[in-house]
Amino acid sequence: MLLPVPPLLRPPVHRVRALGLPPVRALMNLRELVSALNDFASPALAESWDNVGLLVEPSPPHTVKTLFLTNDLTEEVMEEAVQKKADLVLSYHPPIFTPLKRVTWKTWKERLVVRALENRIGIYSPHTAYDAIPHGVNNWLTKGLGACTSVPLHPSTAPSSPAEGTHRVEFCADAEHLDAVLFKIKDIPEISCLTTFPARVEGEEQTRVSLNCSQKALLEVVALLSQNSLLHHKTEILLLQKPPLPHTGMGRLCTLSEPASLSDIIERIKGHLQLPHVRVAVGTGRTLESPVKKAALCAGSGSSVLKGTEADLYLTGEMSHHDVLDAVANGISVILCEHSNTERGFLSELRDALVIHLQNKINIIVSEKDRDPLQVA
């Protein structure tokens, strides 16, 4: 007969926590969490057509104990989030994209909003911001090729440099014309950063004027200055170019450390994405044994990002029939894996990265119901 061990003789229980991370605090204020998520991947990096950031917000104050990650927020996934007591869903694809004119029980996307608010669940979507960042979806996808170096196909530029305007206009004016010109310039919309400072021009004391303006405003500024030949003669126009962000942008052009056959690359991709099948189009003049040295890739739907890129291989989730034909005609092979299959595997890596970024303050889980809607029958 086994006797119970007296409490004082029981071995102590040691709670193990991640090296270098504080113990789980088990909650964050929603706005604090959203700010941290925006720091992880700035919404300013998303494409202009995208709908990113906090999309559904329960009435404040709202605390988050559990962050729930999914690639697509379907009704089945929402019910999973409810059952797992999620407080915020991070859905890579924005479930709200086209504007909703009403929130009823009629359509499935409206029902997502209803269910979220009923259960006090916020919804946040990063989408193409996660495509652009160096530690994002496209970077994860490059790992399926094997050892390689990569650069963005379409580099991102610093969103806040310069803060305003596409052009800078600088000119000098004497005291006789300065006030009249400034008065008229201030009436032109989309003018910013208007400054004046003393200047000496050809031995005369004048005032140098500098301003930033949009492309549209530039036409009005030039037209105004052209009315005075002295002002127009002394005008300089500079194009304000935003500096590129290193390793940041849409798509990736990958150079493999060692060339590999197309058939080997196919197997690597299938293993990385954990797929039994992918769709393949072999480029004209190529075979499955042809070497691949350069591969251009884009998670999701890559036609617009990959188009015109010189490479041995295009890797993406989906492309139109005619874009595949164009690539093949140019001797470029194509691997298609279905849209979300090129994205979903990133969620596990994202979970680990967010645990560190959020300092282990909340519980982070990945959906078990989320899956690509297309299957090979």
Side-chain angles (χ1 to χ4, degrees), residues 4 35 108 111 133 184 195 199 263 265 288:
S35 177
W108 72 276
R111 291 194 292 271
I133 57 176
K184 292 179 180 179
T195 58
S263 60
I265 295 293
L288 288 173

PDB file of all heavy atoms in Angstrom, residues 4 35 108 111 133 184 195 199 263 265 288:
ATOM      1  N   PRO A   4       0.598   8.353   1.462  1.00  0.00           N
ATOM      2  CA  PRO A   4       0.812   9.711   0.942  1.00  0.00           C
ATOM      3  C   PRO A   4       2.062  10.332   1.528  1.00  0.00           C
ATOM      4  O   PRO A   4       2.411  10.096   2.686  1.00  0.00           O
ATOM      5  CB  PRO A   4      -0.446  10.463   1.383  1.00  0.00           C
ATOM      6  CG  PRO A   4      -0.962   9.702   2.556  1.00  0.00           C
ATOM      7  CD  PRO A   4      -0.613   8.258   2.289  1.00  0.00           C
ATOM      8  N   SER A  35      -0.129  49.570 -29.209  1.00  0.00           N
ATOM      9  CA  SER A  35       1.073  50.388 -29.405  1.00  0.00           C
ATOM     10  C   SER A  35       2.304  49.506 -29.570  1.00  0.00           C
ATOM     11  O   SER A  35       3.158  49.759 -30.436  1.00  0.00           O
ATOM     12  CB  SER A  35       1.249  51.330 -28.210  1.00  0.00           C
ATOM     13  OG  SER A  35       2.438  52.087 -28.346  1.00  0.00           O
ATOM     14  N   TRP A 108     -21.381  36.919 -43.281  1.00  0.00           N
ATOM     15  CA  TRP A 108     -20.455  36.311 -42.324  1.00  0.00           C
ATOM     16  C   TRP A 108     -19.463  37.307 -41.752  1.00  0.00           C
ATOM     17  O   TRP A 108     -19.068  37.206 -40.585  1.00  0.00           O
ATOM     18  CB  TRP A 108     -19.748  35.111 -42.949  1.00  0.00           C
ATOM     19  CG  TRP A 108     -18.712  35.398 -43.997  1.00  0.00           C
ATOM     20  CD1 TRP A 108     -18.910  35.621 -45.318  1.00  0.00           C
ATOM     21  CD2 TRP A 108     -17.289  35.465 -43.784  1.00  0.00           C
ATOM     22  NE1 TRP A 108     -17.707  35.820 -45.969  1.00  0.00           N
ATOM     23  CE2 TRP A 108     -16.695  35.723 -45.049  1.00  0.00           C
ATOM     24  CE3 TRP A 108     -16.462  35.320 -42.673  1.00  0.00           C
ATOM     25  CZ2 TRP A 108     -15.323  35.853 -45.220  1.00  0.00           C
ATOM     26  CZ3 TRP A 108     -15.081  35.446 -42.840  1.00  0.00           C
ATOM     27  CH2 TRP A 108     -14.534  35.714 -44.105  1.00  0.00           C
ATOM     28  N   ARG A 111     -21.212  39.177 -39.076  1.00  0.00           N
ATOM     29  CA  ARG A 111     -21.371  38.322 -37.893  1.00  0.00           C
ATOM     30  C   ARG A 111     -20.069  38.239 -37.088  1.00  0.00           C
ATOM     31  O   ARG A 111     -20.099  38.112 -35.860  1.00  0.00           O
ATOM     32  CB  ARG A 111     -21.835  36.923 -38.308  1.00  0.00           C
ATOM     33  CG  ARG A 111     -23.263  36.883 -38.836  1.00  0.00           C
ATOM     34  CD  ARG A 111     -23.811  35.473 -38.914  1.00  0.00           C
ATOM     35  NE  ARG A 111     -23.150  34.656 -39.920  1.00  0.00           N
ATOM     36  CZ  ARG A 111     -23.528  34.570 -41.200  1.00  0.00           C
ATOM     37  NH1 ARG A 111     -24.571  35.272 -41.634  1.00  0.00           N
ATOM     38  NH2 ARG A 111     -22.879  33.782 -42.042  1.00  0.00           N
ATOM     39  N   ILE A 133       8.321  43.902 -43.275  1.00  0.00           N
ATOM     40  CA  ILE A 133       9.367  43.959 -42.251  1.00  0.00           C
ATOM     41  C   ILE A 133      10.434  42.879 -42.467  1.00  0.00           C
ATOM     42  O   ILE A 133      10.157  41.817 -43.014  1.00  0.00           O
ATOM     43  CB  ILE A 133       8.765  43.843 -40.835  1.00  0.00           C
ATOM     44  CG1 ILE A 133       7.940  42.560 -40.685  1.00  0.00           C
ATOM     45  CG2 ILE A 133       7.954  45.078 -40.508  1.00  0.00           C
ATOM     46  CD1 ILE A 133       7.398  42.348 -39.287  1.00  0.00           C
ATOM     47  N   LYS A 184       0.535  85.572 -50.462  1.00  0.00           N
ATOM     48  CA  LYS A 184      -0.108  84.740 -51.485  1.00  0.00           C
ATOM     49  C   LYS A 184       0.243  83.256 -51.303  1.00  0.00           C
ATOM     50  O   LYS A 184      -0.601  82.383 -51.532  1.00  0.00           O
ATOM     51  CB  LYS A 184       0.306  85.217 -52.878  1.00  0.00           C
ATOM     52  CG  LYS A 184      -0.240  86.594 -53.228  1.00  0.00           C
ATOM     53  CD  LYS A 184       0.203  87.043 -54.617  1.00  0.00           C
ATOM     54  CE  LYS A 184      -0.342  88.420 -54.950  1.00  0.00           C
ATOM     55  NZ  LYS A 184       0.097  88.888 -56.299  1.00  0.00           N
ATOM     56  N   THR A 195       9.665  78.528 -43.929  1.00  0.00           N
ATOM     57  CA  THR A 195      10.621  79.227 -43.073  1.00  0.00           C
ATOM     58  C   THR A 195      11.305  80.331 -43.861  1.00  0.00           C
ATOM     59  O   THR A 195      11.409  80.268 -45.092  1.00  0.00           O
ATOM     60  CB  THR A 195      11.698  78.271 -42.522  1.00  0.00           C
ATOM     61  OG1 THR A 195      12.380  77.644 -43.619  1.00  0.00           O
ATOM     62  CG2 THR A 195      11.085  77.199 -41.641  1.00  0.00           C
ATOM     63  N   ALA A 199      19.663  86.357 -45.918  1.00  0.00           N
ATOM     64  CA  ALA A 199      20.625  85.870 -46.906  1.00  0.00           C
ATOM     65  C   ALA A 199      21.243  87.065 -47.622  1.00  0.00           C
ATOM     66  O   ALA A 199      20.626  88.128 -47.730  1.00  0.00           O
ATOM     67  CB  ALA A 199      19.937  84.936 -47.898  1.00  0.00           C
ATOM     68  N   SER A 263      13.605  20.460 -59.079  1.00  0.00           N
ATOM     69  CA  SER A 263      12.964  19.368 -58.337  1.00  0.00           C
ATOM     70  C   SER A 263      13.375  19.393 -56.871  1.00  0.00           C
ATOM     71  O   SER A 263      12.548  19.145 -55.973  1.00  0.00           O
ATOM     72  CB  SER A 263      13.310  18.013 -58.962  1.00  0.00           C
ATOM     73  OG  SER A 263      14.708  17.789 -58.949  1.00  0.00           O
ATOM     74  N   ILE A 265      14.264  22.113 -55.181  1.00  0.00           N
ATOM     75  CA  ILE A 265      13.590  23.287 -54.594  1.00  0.00           C
ATOM     76  C   ILE A 265      12.135  22.951 -54.281  1.00  0.00           C
ATOM     77  O   ILE A 265      11.607  23.338 -53.223  1.00  0.00           O
ATOM     78  CB  ILE A 265      13.671  24.498 -55.548  1.00  0.00           C
ATOM     79  CG1 ILE A 265      15.120  24.947 -55.728  1.00  0.00           C
ATOM     80  CG2 ILE A 265      12.804  25.638 -55.036  1.00  0.00           C
ATOM     81  CD1 ILE A 265      15.758  25.522 -54.483  1.00  0.00           C
ATOM     82  N   LEU A 288      12.859  19.899 -64.889  1.00  0.00           N
ATOM     83  CA  LEU A 288      12.861  19.766 -63.437  1.00  0.00           C
ATOM     84  C   LEU A 288      14.281  19.678 -62.876  1.00  0.00           C
ATOM     85  O   LEU A 288      14.499  19.906 -61.682  1.00  0.00           O
ATOM     86  CB  LEU A 288      12.054  18.539 -63.002  1.00  0.00           C
ATOM     87  CG  LEU A 288      10.534  18.649 -63.162  1.00  0.00           C
ATOM     88  CD1 LEU A 288       9.878  17.311 -62.851  1.00  0.00           C
ATOM     89  CD2 LEU A 288       9.985  19.737 -62.236  1.00  0.00           C
TER      90      LEU A 288
END
